[in-house]
Amino acid sequence: MSLLRLLKPSEEAATDAVLFCCNSPTNIIHRRRWDLAFTVIYCLRVLKRPSKQVLGKKTDLSNNPREGDCPLLQDVDLKILSNLIREKNFESLYKLGGIEQVASILKTNLENGLSGDETDLKLRTTVFGANEYNKPLAKSFLSFTLAPFKDLIMIIAIASDALSLAVGIKEHGLEESWYDGGSLIMAIFLAVIVSAVSNYKQGRQFWKLSRVEAVRDGRRQPISIFDIVVGDVVYLKIGDQVPADGLFVNGHSLRVDESSMTGESDYIEVNNDGDGQMMVASVGKNTAWSEMMSSVSHDLDEETPLQARLNKLTSFIKKVGVSVAVLVLLVLMICSFTGHTQDDVGNREFTSGKTKSGDGMDAVVRIVAAAVTVVVVAIPEGLPLAVKVTLVYSMNRMMGDKAMVRKLSACETMGSATTICVENTGTLTSNEMRVTELCMGKEHVSVDASKEIATSIVEVLLQGIGLNTTGTVHMRPSESVPEILDCPTEKAILSWGVSKLGMTMDELKQEWEIVQVDAFNSEKTRSGVAVRRRGSQAVHIHWKGAAEMISRMCSDYYSQSGKVNVMTDEARSNFGTVIKNMADKSLRCIAFAYKKFDGSLAQFNGKLEEDGLALLGIVGIKDPCRRAVVSCRRAGVNIKMITGDNMHTARDMALECGIFNPEEDLEHEAIVEGVQFRNYSPEQRAAAIEKIRVMARSSPFDKFLMVQCLKQKGHVVAVTGDGMNDVPALKKADIGLYMGIQGTEVAKESSDIVILDDNFASVVTALRWGRCVFNNIQKFIQFQLTVNVAALVINFVAAVSSGNVPLTAVQLLWVNLIMDTLGALALATEQPTNDLMLKPPVGRMEPLISRVMWRNLVSQASYQVIVLLTLQFKGSSIYRVDEKVRNTIIFNCFVLCQVFNVFNARKLEDKNVFKEIHKNKLFLGILSMTIILQVVIVEFLKRFANTERLDWGQWGGCIGLAALSWPIGWLVKCIPVSGKILFFSRREESS
């Protein structure tokens, strides 16, 4: 994040202090005190120089300075402007006339920002550039194309085919022989191109979600950081990334992390968090951050943990295939050179001393080609590609369901989640908070009855609402409802002030001036502000925050009529009861306190007094719970609420949301406070972690500690968060879920999935999609391995028994790479179903191949092997055809068996494989395309694919044999299975 070199030391410096901000995406840090002190003293000395000297140099920023006139934007020297920020040169800023003169040159109103006119914004983009850094070159399409040729198996296949092609040309000439060898080379290149296109497209995907608040047309409004232009006035708050290089305009208690720029790793103290404004001076490639990022390379071709496990499976299958191929090679060589093989006309192929050396070489080439074909059929080349297709497709669909996946691995990991740690506000709750109760003194007051409250109290209360906030209220001319920007709690309070108490934010800020701010943070759970009426020296102090915390700071309280009463023990007890009763109704309790400073503005030392306050009132804020928690509980996923609320509020919110059962969980330490959990010994935490449902009054460290403990117990943990304090837990969790409406940039960069609507229902949707992804990949693994097992057995048996293979390399490449890719895409289009949320989570130990999958795989592969071997040995006599037609029937029947088996793979356990098939038009479309391509290959590409045309009877026989896969699949699913096969299942940490 940005570099901040100066903080306002006094009121005198408040209007003149200038800070340099350089963009950099990390956390808030504590600047070193000596550096800070030096900068403050130096800057004050510079800014106190005579204004005449300052203004005399005001046009030095222009390439074509004109005396007495401000240069056009086109005349501004971009290099001077960029160097000013990068070098943090106060002397240069002094020569330019200070920040106000720079703003004048850039035609920026520091109060109202830019006009928002499209023409002006386009001009600024043209002159100063867009806010995008020079990204390193991504992998080219050629690099993806050449990658498969580094595989030894691929090299052997191409070399063998080239040799076979050369021998064929020698024997039969180029025109007749290129089909056998050339078709295989073309098929290999076609498969490589399909894979390269998929990888290349995925590498080009990126997301632009980062947003920041800027002042345009006199109001704050959220815009994309990519739309920021030079001259924009940008608001910065806790956890934000600084979107560009700029000059500090004003703010309170602001510190900025420059660790990514300087390498320093100090962190700011929590009580120094703040907010501020900056004027953008450099964007995009002209920023210091861009120079750094341009030299950094990123590997966009991310390999997920599941893909890593699949690569191990593929590697194992390759070894099996090579071993079988070597065995075939040895058997065929022995058979050939001992005279046990015959040529096409029935003569012995090799006779010692009589066979020519050229004929012997031809026989060797054919044997090697047969062995290579066995390798080709054994390797599931389409498997990694199919998994990537599934993941990318699911990512796109999840985006439509308000869940943006930032890391590909999160798709699969989310399906394994066993625990979700959430906060209540804006996540479990509806994010539509409103004030429903008000207590003043000993009386409950209707939130709508502002006329019943003394005017003097309403005036003071509005100061605490409208000035002690980071939010903004903007009333659009054409709309009756104001636009309010801030967190849900602040929005609820501001909305109440505007709609029920008659607050006008603009008038309030014109009448009152903010003197000092003590910003809110999660540690002290309150915020304070010191204000004075313009033209007056009297200082008023306002505090707002957690009701029990604010009430402890008060020695008096106001009644509804405006009378001041002493806070006796009895009164304090009564207020405690009010807070408890509100908490029991699941209300968030916020209190307002006030004090008039005893002294003048000159005597005010900048520190807000925290004692001797008078309690103005307590409001209760309602936020209805969502019922999506019930879905997670049914799915076997534990929900743990980690909140800063008190025990009463947290308990009732958890009860309302169904996080725990009051008759069971409350008796088993289901709710604890953060300090209690923090002080447990490691053994106590490990014993209590399973019982805990709610942790109240928690700190960021408590949240991190809970995630760490859950992972140590073997849970796959998802965590929701949106603030800077959530970053440690988001990074530690298996899946970080960023709530993307009011969240900070730092939290987003630490997350894996962005929930775009802050809705817990979308978290549940992401969980359903995660399970669907894993389930779809399992379906395809079953489908793919059935193909490979059947093809490997049939080719091995045929090669050993007759010296020839019925399925050629081209045909097997069509099945392995083209058809399987289409089959994977068809299975990837299966949508999440409610059944997925009725099963327990797969967890870390879920095997890739379960007993259910083995049952289905073995049964279908066995049936296909029986059918194909029968056709291999008896097909010619059954159909009364020659060997070439018989081989075509075997190939056609084999492909159609896979088409029918795709339906079986749709449901791993459900007997009704056609359930809701009409809803998946893409699935039906892909299978229709597969059948059409198969007809084209058999009937029209016979020379390329080494096939012969089949008549209607032969086609009917193939279809009938393939269709028997359905009743066999139904019968097999009647066989009960239990337990899991630990085949290629390893305890692996999800990333």
Side-chain angles (χ1 to χ4, degrees), residues 706-747:
M706 176 168 276
V707 173
Q708 184 182 53
C709 189
L710 285 168
K711 290 187 68 176
Q712 289 171 352
K713 294 284 285 184
H715 287 271
V716 178
V717 186
V719 170
T720 68
D722 58 5
M724 187 186 69
N725 292 330
D726 296 318
V727 169
L730 287 171
K731 287 185 174 180
K732 184 65 177 176
D734 295 291
I735 313 106
L737 298 163
Y738 168 76
M739 313 310 287
I741 293 181
Q742 295 291 340
T744 63
E745 287 297 309
V746 176

Side-chain angles (χ1 to χ4, degrees), residues 268-290:
I268 192 171
E269 298 173 8
V270 175
N271 61 5
N272 285 330
D273 293 346
D275 59 86
Q277 299 173 43
M278 63 166 272
M279 182 183 70
V280 176
S282 298
V283 295
K285 64 181 181 180
N286 299 309
T287 63
W289 180 247
S290 176

Side-chain angles (χ1 to χ4, degrees), residues 607-680:
K607 184 177 180 180
L608 275 63
E609 296 181 9
E610 300 184 11
D611 54 7
L613 301 171
L615 184 66
L616 287 171
I618 301 173
V619 295
I621 302 175
K622 180 69 173 178
D623 194 353
C625 278
R626 292 193 174 99
R627 300 300 177 184
V629 174
V630 178
S631 298
C632 289
R633 296 294 297 271
R634 287 202 195 109
V637 178
N638 294 317
I639 304 294
K640 296 185 184 295
M641 180 193 290
I642 306 175
T643 177
D645 287 334
N646 62 41
M647 291 279 282
H648 298 295
T649 300
R651 181 197 63 196
D652 289 290
M653 187 68 72
L655 285 171
E656 185 176 344
C657 294
I659 288 180
F660 61 65
N661 187 322
E663 298 178 359
E664 300 175 5
D665 296 327
L666 289 180
E667 301 297 325
H668 297 86
E669 300 179 351
I671 179 168
V672 298
E673 284 195 335
V675 64
Q676 179 184 353
F677 183 77
R678 192 184 318 147
N679 292 329
Y680 280 155

